[in-house]
């Protein structure tokens, strides 16, 4: 029985959310957004990569299959395929690109130490 945090939540805790939020505000990523924020989108896409999902449908099926745990994993209330596809097509990809470069820079500094 699980008494602590889920492994995915532990991995996500290493991501600097304030830095990501600064990129989101720089590119106005959450403008006109009610509940599916850029952070939720990032978490869904990271989960899809870590679990080797092949499509958005596959990703949303697995997330919704664990809907009782989705809040604790950080996804929010629910994730639909249409919300995820709209977010992927309409949001500026520079948000995620700059965040990836930021994380790569941190990793390179850690390797040099």
């Amino acid at each position: 029985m699980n008494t602590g945090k889920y492994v995915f939540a532990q991995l996500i805790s290493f991501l600097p959310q304030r830095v990501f939020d600064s990129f989101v505000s720089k590119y106005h990523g959450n403008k006109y957004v009610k509940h599916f924020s850029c952070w939720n989108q990032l978490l869904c896409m990271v989960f899809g990569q870590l679990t080797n999902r092949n499509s958005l449908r596959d990703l949303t099926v697995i997330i919704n299959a664990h809907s009782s745990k989705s809040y604790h994993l950080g996804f929010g209330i629910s994730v639909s395929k249409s919300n995820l596809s709209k977010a992927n097509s309409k949001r500026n990809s520079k948000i995620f690109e700059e965040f990836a470069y930021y994380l790569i820079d941190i990793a390179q500094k850690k390797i040099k130490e």
Side-chain angles (χ1 to χ4, degrees), residues 33-37 41 44-45 56 60 78-91:
V33 173
K34 292 185 180 176
H35 73 279
F36 193 67
S37 68
Q41 180 186 2
C44 288
M45 300 311 286
L56 289 181
T60 55
S78 67
V79 178
S80 68
K81 189 179 105 181
S82 61
N83 277 350
L84 195 53
S85 66
K86 284 178 190 175
N88 285 341
S89 66
K90 293 190 184 274
R91 290 197 177 134

Side-chain angles (χ1 to χ4, degrees), residues 2-104:
N2 183 16
T3 58
K5 288 175 125 182
Y6 292 106
V7 174
F8 182 72
Q10 291 176 21
L11 287 172
I12 295 303
S13 68
F14 290 110
L15 296 179
Q17 188 171 358
R18 286 188 177 179
V19 174
F20 182 76
D21 289 339
S22 70
F23 293 133
V24 171
S25 63
K26 178 180 176 182
Y27 292 104
H28 308 290
N30 284 334
K31 190 173 185 180
Y32 306 118
V33 173
K34 292 185 180 176
H35 73 279
F36 193 67
S37 68
C38 288
W39 182 252
N40 296 120
Q41 180 186 2
L42 175 73
L43 295 183
C44 288
M45 300 311 286
V46 167
F47 185 78
Q49 286 292 311
L50 291 175
T51 58
N52 197 24
R53 299 294 131 196
N54 296 323
S55 65
L56 289 181
R57 178 172 303 198
D58 190 18
L59 177 59
T60 55
V61 165
I62 196 70
I63 289 173
N64 290 328
H66 300 288
S67 61
S68 63
K69 302 170 193 149
S70 66
Y71 176 78
H72 299 290
L73 292 172
F75 301 135
I77 297 170
S78 67
V79 178
S80 68
K81 189 179 105 181
S82 61
N83 277 350
L84 195 53
S85 66
K86 284 178 190 175
N88 285 341
S89 66
K90 293 190 184 274
R91 290 197 177 134
N92 194 342
S93 62
K94 289 282 188 183
I95 297 167
F96 305 101
E97 180 183 348
E98 286 192 23
F99 188 60
Y101 284 135
Y102 177 80
L103 293 177
I104 290 169

